[in-house]
Amino acid sequence: MVPPIQKEKAEKLLKFHHDEEILVLLNSWDIGSSRLIEACGYKAIATTSMGMAAALGYPDCQVMQLSEMINIITGIVKGVQAPVTVDIEAGYGNNLDEITDSVKKIIATGIAGINIEDSIDLGPVLIDEIAFCERIAAIRALSNSLGFHLVINARTDSFYTSSGSPKEKLSESIRRGNKYREAGADCIFVQPVSDKATIATLVKEINAPLNILLNPTIGEGIPPSIRQLQDMGVARLSLGSSLMKATLALIKKVADEIVTYGTSDILLDAMMPVSETTLAYKMAIGR
């Protein structure tokens, strides 16, 4: 059985998906970034698997070991008060037993939710939808057996990796989304979509809260504004790996300017006003 505080956090996270206000998740990768996001007023913390892997010097797609992920998650859960939902990629296992065992270890860190995807290594062929439904159902059964409602965000990568037409990708996303919901998912994550008409159709046709991605490095185009997405009925917006990539991009820009021109204008601009930079540091360390 899980502790009462973990149950409460999971209940809060689930409720956020049904509020009138859209749930915006900035996606952190370590304790400091998680604390900073929480201190900025965000009511839940979501991790980015790509960001965590990059921080350890790994590529994405389950190259990072489960034990390494668990160490990071444990620190994040202990470091913040808000509910934490974790990107567990395809589940860290080759069969149902291995996946449920991995999820059980992840639940033991104190998390309130997970994100699980139906692609492997972002390949063009998705996991069979029946097999993926079995994964969701097994995780839901595990959650129930532990006495709490783990919030499951099921991601379909039909738009991301499939080679079909936009119409075919939309149809597959809707079909998979509804099946995943029936299997026990609480929210359906479709990425990357930015067209208003497509998003509106997904909201209408998928019988579950919808999660959309805001990440300029994935897909084409930027989705509508947060307010517009909320008005359209989107329940959840994730930034994915974009914050981590933006941080890496800033480091590269600063380094390139210094080595090329011997100046540090980009660094100075990013740190102005200095009081804000100092405050951000204090927020990240919890002071």
Side-chain angles (χ1 to χ4, degrees):
M1 304 295 284
V2 301
I5 184 63
Q6 188 175 359
K7 292 182 182 181
E8 293 172 9
K9 289 183 177 181
E11 290 170 1
K12 283 184 179 180
L13 181 61
L14 182 61
K15 179 181 178 297
F16 294 155
H17 290 77
H18 297 276
D19 288 344
E20 290 186 11
E21 181 183 21
I22 188 171
L23 174 62
V24 180
L25 301 170
L26 268 60
N27 297 91
S28 60
W29 57 92
D30 60 12
I31 300 171
S33 58
S34 301
R35 281 178 169 169
L36 178 55
I37 290 169
E38 179 180 46
C40 285
Y42 288 81
K43 54 191 179 183
I45 300 298
T47 67
T48 160
S49 64
M50 185 177 289
M52 288 195 295
L56 296 175
Y58 299 137
D60 199 18
C61 299
Q62 299 189 175
V63 175
M64 174 175 53
Q65 296 298 302
L66 177 63
S67 59
E68 294 174 308
M69 175 188 283
I70 286 176
N71 285 338
I72 298 171
I73 296 168
T74 300
I76 291 174
V77 171
K78 290 181 179 179
V80 300
Q81 298 300 313
V84 176
T85 179
V86 179
D87 181 357
I88 66 168
E89 304 188 61
Y92 276 83
N94 297 312
N95 54 55
L96 284 180
D97 287 341
E98 290 181 359
I99 290 171
T100 52
D101 183 62
S102 294
V103 173
K104 188 173 184 178
K105 292 176 181 176
I106 292 169
I107 289 174
T109 66
I111 55 101
I114 60 168
N115 183 92
I116 186 167
E117 62 206 39
D118 62 9
S119 64
I120 298 179
D121 298 338
L122 297 179
V125 179
L126 301 182
I127 298 170
D128 177 79
E129 59 191 65
I130 295 177
F132 195 73
C133 284
E134 290 174 348
R135 294 188 184 189
I136 294 172
I139 294 170
R140 174 58 64 221
L142 169 64
S143 168
N144 291 340
S145 73
L146 295 173
F148 91 123
H149 188 97
L150 177 72
V151 180
I152 302 174
N153 187 40
R155 190 181 100 187
T156 178
D157 286 341
S158 304
F159 273 96
Y160 195 15
T161 64
S162 298
S163 58
S165 68
K167 184 176 180 180
E168 290 171 331
K169 293 179 180 181
L170 176 60
S171 177
E172 182 170 14
S173 296
I174 293 170
R175 186 183 68 254
R176 283 178 174 264
N178 283 319
K179 285 184 176 296
Y180 298 168
R181 173 64 160 173
E182 291 172 4
D186 298 291
C187 183
I188 303 301
F189 186 7
V190 181
Q191 65 146 22
V193 290
S194 57
D195 176 71
K196 283 186 179 181
T198 299
I199 295 173
T201 300
L202 291 168
V203 170
K204 179 182 178 182
E205 298 296 334
I206 293 179
N207 186 32
L210 181 68
N211 187 172
I212 295 296
L213 178 71
L214 171 57
N215 188 341
T217 66
I218 297 177
E220 299 177 0
I222 303 297
S225 69
I226 295 172
R227 179 56 61 86
Q228 288 176 314
L229 289 173
Q230 178 174 293
D231 291 344
M232 293 170 67
V234 173
R236 172 169 162 167
L237 177 68
S238 304
L239 269 61
S241 62
S242 60
L243 272 185
M244 174 54 158
K245 288 177 178 175
T247 301
L248 295 177
L250 176 59
I251 294 172
K252 184 180 184 303
K253 289 175 182 177
V254 170
D256 286 348
E257 181 192 358
I258 290 174
V259 75
T260 303
Y261 303 107
T263 58
S264 55
D265 293 340
I266 294 174
L267 173 63
L268 295 175
D269 287 345
M271 296 185 72
M272 294 298 171
V274 172
S275 59
E276 282 294 313
T277 298
T278 302
L279 177 60
Y281 168 72
K282 290 181 177 180
M283 292 164 77
I285 64 172
R287 295 182 181 177

